[in-house]
């Protein structure tokens, strides 16, 4: 038996691309929102709620557009509430439990730095609505990057304890960063259409930003060539995602016919 | 003893409707009462993040998730500027926080009730924020400048929260039978606690007379409560929600709604620490504070290092 690979249509590629972007942001935003009321200081409670709000807001806008592209009568909530683990294509990096404050910050920094370079390019995408959205969200991504970068410096170059803690977080997160630069037929199609971005183009810049920041924070940059996880863009996840979804989706799925907007 | 002349002068300013500002002379007792009230208000905003935060992850639509996140974020903001306003009275935020986490300072008892269903989030928006607005609208005219201004700002945001809660509750009241049941159940559970938010009856409220004399408060607990009941009766009717009080009746003579006896035993029980969530709330807030200590220390250490480096460079 042979499996035939079907040619992607533009609609399929665009939909998959939007969902990947949206899923990353929804799941990371969900994790960030877990800090509400539990932050290390009031100013951070505000900042983290703000970032969660941005991330989930970005995801919502992307899902809305995805629904339009898909054209099956779904709305943004459909993608968030009525898909299962295997259909979510967010990075494993985003679904890992929030950990301590240092872990949350380290992850946010790695992700925001990537998003920054990605959105810098996507804002010129060959689709007015999509490009406009990217341009709008980029402003907030810049803030997330600045905020998380400043905290990496504070924690790395703060006390012995904070240094050790955030170093450990980067070490633990490292195997999940390979996927940031994963590309497949969806990306290739989108690049060809002038809608997507070739992440290998800015990999060097991203690495330099990460290296410079970690070095300034007196941290050790983990081994770039170590083993890297893969599979999330094809719906392969850690066990953490299922629990996150169970919590997030339970009420909506318990009363699917009710109006909740 | 404070100089009687100064006290009279102070009272004259109050009576003339002047605002008292941080650098002005004020009686020590006025300062202490304000620290108590304002910090209690700040702690309440912070603890209040917990029962609502309890539903952010489970909110039933992306829109409602964003609305709730924004609301809880606003509360953190209110806490922040209320602490800042309290600091103008010569006390540190860290000391105030210690007083409620490890000492005897209080926060509003309403937050010791559990948010069991999502409808509780809507009922809180409508009733609890609704009661808070009645109180804070008055406090926005309070004699202490910084507290008055903080409340002006808070009221604007709270009105928005109330509107959102009321709007979603109305949708549920008009929704599926399960939603209707959930909504009514929430109103049943939150109605009496929201009436208790105004504090004990005037006859049992030892601080009231003094606070009114100094125009820190402009109305008594019972006056505010009556104002709240009159409004809520109309709003409940408009969305088809019943209020769980068989004695609610319009009084032609007074032009107000009479209501039944408030279950004070329960209120005092919760104040004393026996509410469903008292222990958990304090445990959670202590955990946040203690788990965050290494972060705050790191930030301080880093700031010191940078300052030193700058000094060396110049």
């Amino acid at each position: 038996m042979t499996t035939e690979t079907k040619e992607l249509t533009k609609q399929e590629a665009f939909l998959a691309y939007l969902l990947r972007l949206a899923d990353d942001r929804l799941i990371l935003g969900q994790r960030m929102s877990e800090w509400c009321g539990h932050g290390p200081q009031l100013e951070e409670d505000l900042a983290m709620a703000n970032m969660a709000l941005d991330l989930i807001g970005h995801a919502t806008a992307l899902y809305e557009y995805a629904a339009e592209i898909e054209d099956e009568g779904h709305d943004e909530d459909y993608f968030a509430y009525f898909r299962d683990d295997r259909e979510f294509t967010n990075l494993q990096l985003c679904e890992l439990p929030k950990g301590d404050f240092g872990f949350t910050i380290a992850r946010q920094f790695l992700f925001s730095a990537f998003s920054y370079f990605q959105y810098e390019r996507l804002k010129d995408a060959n689709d007015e609505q999509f490009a406009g959205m990217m341009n709008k969200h980029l402003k907030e991504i810049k803030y997330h990057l600045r905020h998380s970068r400043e905290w990496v410096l504070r924690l790395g170059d703060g006390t012995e304890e904070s240094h050790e803690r955030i170093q450990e977080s980067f070490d633990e997160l490292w195997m999940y960063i390979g996927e940031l630069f994963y590309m497949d037929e969806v990306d290739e199609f989108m690049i060809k259409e002038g809608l997507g971005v070739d992440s290998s183009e800015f990999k060097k810049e991203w690495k330099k930003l990460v290296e410079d920041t970690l070095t300034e924070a007196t941290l050790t940059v983990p081994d770039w060539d170590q083993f890297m996880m893969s599979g999330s863009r094809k719906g392969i996840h850690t066990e953490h995602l299922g629990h996150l979804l169970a919590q997030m989706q339970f009420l909506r799925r318990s009363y699917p016919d009710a109006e909740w907007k | 003893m404070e100089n009687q002349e100064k006290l009279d002068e102070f009272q004259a300013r109050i009576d003339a409707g002047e605002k008292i500002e941080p650098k002005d002379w004020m009686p020590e007792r006025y300062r202490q009462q304000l620290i108590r009230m304002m910090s209690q208000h700040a702690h309440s905003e912070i603890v209040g993040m917990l029962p609502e935060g309890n539903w952010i992850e489970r909110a039933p639509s992306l829109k409602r998730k964003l609305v709730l996140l924004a609301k809880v974020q606003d509360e953190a903001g209110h806490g922040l500027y209320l602490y800042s306003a309290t600091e103008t009275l010569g006390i540190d935020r860290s000391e105030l926080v210690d007083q409620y986490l490890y000492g005897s300072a209080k926060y509003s008892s309403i937050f010791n009730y559990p948010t069991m269903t999502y409808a509780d989030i809507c009922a809180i928006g409508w009733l609890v924020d609704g009661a808070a607005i009645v109180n804070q609208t008055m406090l926005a005219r309070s004699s202490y400048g910084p507290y008055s201004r903080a409340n002006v700002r808070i009221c604007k945001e709270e009105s928005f929260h109330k509107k959102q809660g009321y709007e979603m509750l109305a949708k549920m009241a008009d929704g599926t039978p399960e939603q209707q049941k959930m909504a009514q159940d929430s109103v049943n559970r939150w109605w009496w606690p929201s009436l208790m938010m105004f504090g004990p009856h005037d006859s049992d409220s030892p601080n009231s007379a003094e606070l009114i004399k100094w125009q820190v408060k402009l109305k008594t607990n019972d006056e505010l409560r009556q104002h709240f009941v009159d409004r809520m009766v109309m709003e409940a009717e408009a969305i088809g929600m019943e209020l769980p009080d068989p004695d609610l009746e319009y009084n032609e003579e007074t032009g107000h709604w009479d209501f039944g006896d408030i279950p004070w035993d329960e209120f005092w029980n919760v104040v004393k620490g026996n509410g469903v969530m008292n222990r958990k709330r304090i445990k959670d807030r202590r955990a946040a504070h203690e788990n965050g200590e290494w972060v705050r220390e790191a930030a301080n250490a880093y700031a010191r290092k940078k300052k030193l480096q700058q000094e060396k460079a110049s």
Side-chain angles (χ1 to χ4, degrees):
Chain A
M1 207 176 98
T2 55
T3 42
E4 268 180 59
T5 41
K6 214 175 94 239
E7 281 290 309
L8 275 175
T9 65
K10 181 177 172 186
Q11 185 196 30
E12 285 165 346
F14 208 172
L15 178 62
Y17 202 77
L18 289 167
L19 290 179
R20 288 175 185 186
L21 285 169
D23 289 350
D24 284 349
R25 280 150 190 86
L26 174 63
I27 301 302
L28 188 59
Q30 178 83 357
R31 283 294 184 219
M32 188 60 94
S33 72
E34 291 172 17
W35 277 102
C36 239
H38 307 279
Q41 59 188 35
L42 200 39
E43 287 79 358
E44 278 319 289
D45 266 317
L46 265 168
M48 289 194 281
N50 192 31
M51 287 194 279
L53 208 49
D54 289 342
L55 287 163
I56 298 171
H58 297 176
T60 304
L62 287 158
Y63 284 138
E64 279 168 2
Y65 198 31
E68 216 178 296
I69 299 286
E70 187 199 38
D71 199 22
E72 298 262 348
H74 290 140
D75 66 356
E76 70 281 8
D77 283 345
Y78 167 79
F79 296 111
Y81 289 93
F82 295 98
R83 287 182 305 147
D84 291 328
D85 319 35
R86 292 286 282 118
E87 293 158 282
F88 268 81
T89 51
N90 61 280
L91 298 165
Q92 291 175 10
L93 177 76
C94 299
E95 75 206 31
L96 300 173
K98 76 182 199 302
D100 68 8
F101 180 73
F103 187 87
T104 290
I105 285 296
R107 164 168 58 191
Q108 191 62 46
F109 167 67
L110 294 166
F111 182 80
S112 300
F114 180 85
S115 305
Y116 168 71
F117 292 116
Q118 187 185 29
Y119 275 53
E120 264 289 332
R121 286 160 177 79
L122 287 176
K123 75 177 185 350
D124 301 319
N126 189 17
D127 177 290
E128 208 179 320
Q129 193 174 339
F130 181 52
M133 198 189 293
M134 296 294 103
N135 193 32
K136 193 167 158 235
H137 298 172
L138 179 61
K139 290 191 188 89
E140 285 154 351
I141 290 168
K142 282 181 187 164
Y143 161 76
H144 301 173
L145 175 58
R146 198 178 68 216
H147 187 79
S148 55
R149 187 178 175 278
E150 280 169 3
W151 271 108
V152 170
L153 298 179
R154 280 187 205 113
L155 298 179
D157 196 15
T159 62
E160 208 175 307
E161 184 186 1
S162 69
H163 177 90
E164 270 172 35
R165 279 186 186 241
I166 194 155
Q167 180 69 60
E168 211 173 286
S169 298
F170 276 112
D171 293 345
E172 209 179 311
L173 284 161
W174 216 248
M175 70 193 312
Y176 297 97
I177 60 175
E179 282 201 295
L180 286 165
F181 294 94
Y182 167 87
M183 283 194 290
D184 62 12
E185 67 283 0
V186 171
D187 299 271
E188 280 159 25
F189 193 104
M190 292 293 282
I191 293 165
K192 207 173 63 205
E193 294 282 322
L195 287 164
V197 48
D198 181 352
S199 53
S200 66
E201 276 177 15
F202 60 79
K203 192 169 182 181
K204 254 194 196 155
E205 280 177 278
W206 178 82
K207 272 173 90 168
K208 186 172 183 313
L209 175 60
V210 172
E211 268 177 359
D212 289 352
T213 304
L214 266 64
T215 306
E216 193 184 333
T218 71
L219 294 165
T220 308
V221 180
D223 180 7
W224 290 112
D225 298 322
Q226 73 161 73
F227 174 80
M228 294 287 172
M229 288 294 182
S230 62
S232 58
R233 297 305 190 200
K234 301 287 181 202
I236 300 297
H237 295 283
T238 66
E239 288 176 355
H240 303 297
L241 182 66
H243 294 276
L244 182 150
L245 294 181
Q247 187 186 33
M248 183 173 80
Q249 297 175 334
F250 110 89
L251 177 60
R252 183 59 180 265
R253 287 199 183 194
S254 303
Y255 306 100
D257 301 329
E259 173 62 58
W260 290 112
K261 276 203 212 174
Chain B
M1 269 268 296
E2 279 161 336
N3 185 324
Q4 188 58 44
E5 209 176 311
K6 274 191 158 176
L7 282 173
D8 290 344
E9 219 174 90
F10 180 79
Q11 190 62 49
R13 287 190 65 194
I14 299 273
D15 294 341
E18 278 181 48
K19 290 272 183 262
I20 307 301
E21 294 301 333
K23 284 184 180 149
D24 298 349
W25 184 86
M26 61 186 83
E28 183 54 22
R29 173 95 183 141
Y30 177 84
R31 197 176 77 89
Q32 290 304 335
Q33 285 280 32
L34 275 168
I35 291 176
R36 181 185 63 81
M37 265 183 75
M38 291 166 69
S39 63
Q40 193 169 315
H41 192 171
H43 306 327
S44 302
E45 296 281 358
I46 304 308
V47 178
M49 293 168 75
L50 297 171
E52 300 191 274
N54 183 39
W55 279 92
I56 292 174
E57 285 119 272
R58 294 177 288 169
S61 66
L62 289 169
K63 179 184 164 190
R64 291 291 150 189
K65 193 189 282 289
L66 290 169
V67 163
L68 190 51
L69 253 171
K71 181 176 188 220
V72 179
Q73 189 198 17
D74 282 348
E75 272 145 22
H78 297 170
L80 201 57
Y81 43 84
L82 283 166
Y83 279 128
S84 302
T86 316
E87 283 185 324
T88 63
L89 293 160
I91 188 162
D92 256 19
R93 195 214 297 183
S94 59
E95 199 179 327
L96 296 169
V97 169
D98 273 352
Q99 283 174 4
Y100 94 93
L101 288 182
Y102 306 102
S104 58
K106 298 268 182 253
Y107 57 87
S108 178
S109 278
I110 193 81
F111 302 118
N112 290 319
Y113 289 87
T115 50
M116 288 162 47
T117 72
Y118 174 73
D120 290 356
I121 297 304
C122 312
I124 287 180
W126 176 44
L127 295 171
V128 176
D129 286 68
I133 290 166
V134 169
N135 205 16
Q136 288 158 1
T137 306
M138 166 195 75
L139 292 172
R141 292 186 287 130
S142 161
S143 61
Y144 188 56
Y147 194 36
S148 153
R149 291 187 287 274
N151 276 293
V152 169
R153 200 168 150 188
I154 290 171
C155 275
K156 276 186 201 149
E157 290 173 352
E158 300 277 27
S159 306
F160 192 55
H161 299 164
K162 184 193 165 197
K163 193 175 146 253
Q164 287 168 327
Y166 185 59
E167 179 194 284
M168 187 62 214
L169 198 68
K171 273 188 192 159
M172 291 184 75
D174 199 29
T176 65
E178 289 94 345
Q179 281 180 307
Q180 288 173 6
K181 200 173 142 199
M182 214 187 271
Q184 185 61 57
D185 170 59
S186 289
V187 172
N188 293 349
R189 280 182 291 112
W190 289 93
W191 172 248
W192 291 109
S194 68
L195 288 195
M196 294 183 236
M197 281 175 72
F198 296 97
H201 282 311
D202 297 346
S203 51
D204 301 319
S205 178
N207 291 314
S208 266
E210 192 176 52
L211 293 174
I212 287 178
K213 182 182 85 178
W214 281 329
Q215 297 284 293
V216 173
K217 288 176 69 166
L218 290 91
K219 283 182 179 156
T220 70
N221 295 352
D222 285 329
E223 284 170 337
L224 292 167
R225 188 165 18 238
Q226 185 64 59
H227 178 72
F228 176 70
V229 171
D230 290 344
R231 273 184 78 160
M232 291 299 121
V233 169
M234 285 189 314
E235 294 184 9
E237 208 183 299
I239 60 169
M241 284 281 104
E242 274 175 42
L243 296 174
D245 179 0
D247 297 326
L248 261 181
E249 205 183 333
Y250 187 70
N251 185 327
E252 297 278 354
E253 243 169 77
T254 61
H256 294 293
W257 284 81
D258 292 338
F259 50 95
D261 290 335
I262 294 173
W264 291 112
D265 286 351
E266 183 197 296
F267 174 75
W268 289 115
N269 222 353
V270 178
V271 170
K272 281 177 197 147
N274 297 321
V276 178
M277 298 306 287
N278 288 60
R279 287 176 181 81
K280 172 94 166 95
R281 298 287 185 245
I282 277 294
K283 218 185 236 179
D284 281 354
R285 286 308 305 161
R286 280 184 186 160
H289 188 68
E290 288 159 17
N291 294 337
E293 199 167 345
W294 70 274
V295 177
R296 296 189 298 275
E297 276 172 5
N300 290 335
Y302 181 79
R304 276 196 303 273
K305 276 186 205 174
K306 286 290 132 185
K307 208 178 152 208
L308 256 168
Q309 280 171 8
Q310 266 178 359
E311 281 168 6
K312 268 189 196 165
S314 61

